[in-house]
Amino acid sequence: MKQHKRIAVLVEGEWGPRPSKTLTGVLRYRAHDVVTVIESGYAGQDAAEVLGLEGATPIPVVADLAAALEHEPDALLLADEPVGSAVDPYWREQVLTALESGLDVVSGLHYQFADDAEAVAAARTGARIQDVRRPPHELYFTDFAADGRPVVHYREHRAGSHTVLAVGTDCSSGKMTTMLELRRAALGRGLAPGFVATGQVGMMISGGGVAVDGVMSDFVNSVVEQVVFDAAQEHDLVLVEGQGALNHPRYSAVTLGLLHGARPDSLILCHDLRRESVGLLPGHSLPSVRRAIEINEQAARWVWPDDACRVAGISVMSRGLPDDEARDAIDRLEQETGLPVTDVLRYGVDRLLDAVLPPR
């Protein structure tokens, strides 16, 4: 996906009270490659301004794909986030039209357009279909064949490298954003950190990684182990995007696979200050921050009992809270946990970076 330098982002119908996190992430971290956004309800406006992204590159919003083509895009990126795998008929029509027009289509859906005969036929113009959530068969069918080795190799990371994994009290609690902000701050200090994307949005931004929720459950741990091991061979600081939450009844499996496969040296806990219940399950209360720290540290030690993996800091989302309330909540969490706490978008990420950098 790194080769795309003129992206049109399709977000039709997804720009509700809480904007598409795909759109927000792409515009926050890859706006220089986006030429237009498609959303008829906001046509004529500036996408960055509507999202409240201060200092971001102005990006025009247009009503449809025909208008988007006037900006000469080289790819259509789908910023749709359905809970299931169904594809809206309108979106499917846009995908087919884009492919027929010669645009590559980058999709983060569970639905695989590369297996869709009609989409493949439409792509005969030379356009490519990139299903970001396509299972990485080359990672888990070529390495564990007939030699009797276990699926997970239990390999030590390179001496001198330090792996940090984002965990959370819920989904959509800032795990990807926290890791990307840590990466940005580390680069600003002259370091060369590695970012391991583990979800479709992180992959769309970084151009690499693996969408772990598209991997067969038996192979999640080993695939994560491989991509993090490879990153640790090249980088002294490896920042792994987290997914879900151990306490989330729907997504705990992928979270545990990440925790055990990544073999992190330290964790950053991500938490939304305004949220009281698990996303999509209003009757299921969130654990306290202290309890979330406890269960994540314990789960890490189930597999790596000799490793001193600990939560090194807390990244909170304080959006919607007045500044004084946000700072009071942060102060309380720091007193309760003894850990550095910040909203990385509001107050910066330097304290968290200091907490995860290994001593020199």
Side-chain angles (χ1 to χ4, degrees):
M1 290 170 289
K2 291 181 179 178
Q3 73 271 22
H4 297 127
K5 300 300 181 184
R6 298 189 62 79
I7 299 170
V9 182
L10 177 61
V11 72
E12 184 70 30
E14 292 291 315
W15 211 333
R18 187 172 184 175
S20 158
K21 75 175 183 179
T22 302
L23 176 65
T24 303
V26 169
L27 293 195
R28 179 173 285 137
Y29 298 108
R30 200 177 169 182
H32 55 282
D33 289 332
V34 178
V35 294
T36 189
V37 172
I38 305 170
E39 165 56 270
S40 59
Y42 291 86
Q45 300 188 53
D46 169 23
E49 183 177 337
V50 173
L51 288 174
L53 301 178
E54 296 181 5
T57 304
I59 297 172
V61 183
V62 297
D64 52 30
L65 184 59
L69 290 173
E70 296 179 8
H71 293 272
E72 301 181 346
D74 57 15
L76 179 70
L77 187 149
L78 308 186
D80 192 13
E81 298 146 16
V83 175
S85 59
V87 179
D88 182 276
Y90 171 82
W91 282 66
R92 178 182 174 77
E93 177 186 340
Q94 300 306 296
V95 167
L96 296 177
T97 302
L99 292 170
E100 291 167 351
S101 301
L103 302 187
D104 290 351
V105 169
V106 180
S107 170
L109 306 182
H110 282 290
Y111 184 84
Q112 302 290 297
F113 281 103
D115 295 333
D116 184 313
E118 195 174 3
V120 171
R124 288 176 183 161
T125 55
R128 292 168 296 177
I129 299 170
Q130 298 185 355
D131 289 312
V132 177
R133 271 186 164 130
R134 195 162 190 82
H137 294 277
E138 70 282 358
L139 285 179
Y140 56 70
F141 281 137
T142 60
D143 198 19
F144 317 118
D147 61 2
R149 290 179 294 173
V151 173
V152 173
H153 295 183
Y154 298 104
R155 288 176 294 184
E156 296 274 355
H157 293 173
R158 180 180 57 82
S161 68
H162 191 86
T163 298
V164 185
L165 171 67
V167 295
T169 57
D170 197 3
C171 298
S172 300
S173 54
K175 295 181 285 292
M176 179 192 75
T177 299
T178 298
M179 292 294 102
L180 287 171
E181 289 297 318
L182 281 170
R183 178 180 181 275
R184 179 181 284 172
L187 288 170
R189 296 191 190 184
L191 304 176
F195 170 72
V196 177
T198 62
Q200 74 277 11
V201 184
M203 293 178 69
M204 289 172 174
I205 293 167
S206 69
V210 59
V212 292
D213 62 3
V215 177
M216 290 182 185
S217 59
D218 273 358
F219 298 102
V220 169
N221 300 36
S222 57
V223 167
V224 171
E225 180 192 40
Q226 182 64 55
V227 294
V228 174
F229 180 86
D230 289 345
Q233 294 296 100
E234 299 181 15
H235 303 277
D236 289 341
L237 179 64
V238 179
L239 304 167
V240 185
E241 176 191 7
Q243 299 294 326
L246 285 180
N247 52 280
H248 199 303
R250 289 185 176 177
Y251 307 119
S252 54
V254 71
T255 309
L256 189 60
L258 270 167
L259 187 59
H260 288 168
R263 194 171 186 170
D265 298 293
S266 57
L267 306 171
I268 294 293
L269 181 72
C270 301
H271 174 66
D272 189 334
L273 292 174
R274 301 192 69 182
R275 208 175 303 176
E276 297 181 356
S277 60
V278 168
L280 306 177
L281 295 172
H284 195 92
S285 298
L286 289 181
S288 68
V289 168
R290 292 182 65 179
R291 177 58 178 156
I293 292 172
E294 180 183 27
I295 64 175
N296 280 279
E297 291 181 345
Q298 285 180 345
R301 291 195 294 272
W302 292 343
V303 173
W304 314 114
D306 298 329
D307 290 353
C309 179
R310 296 286 187 273
V311 172
I314 301 170
S315 172
V316 299
M317 294 171 64
S318 64
R319 180 181 52 205
L321 290 177
D323 181 70
D324 57 345
E325 289 185 29
R327 291 185 182 277
D328 285 347
I330 286 171
D331 289 344
R332 286 195 300 272
L333 281 177
E334 290 193 337
Q335 292 172 11
E336 291 173 10
T337 64
L339 297 171
V341 183
T342 187
D343 181 326
V344 300
L345 295 178
R346 199 169 184 176
Y347 305 123
V349 74
D350 284 336
R351 297 182 65 216
L352 296 185
L353 182 58
D354 291 338
V356 299
L357 284 176
R360 293 185 179 274

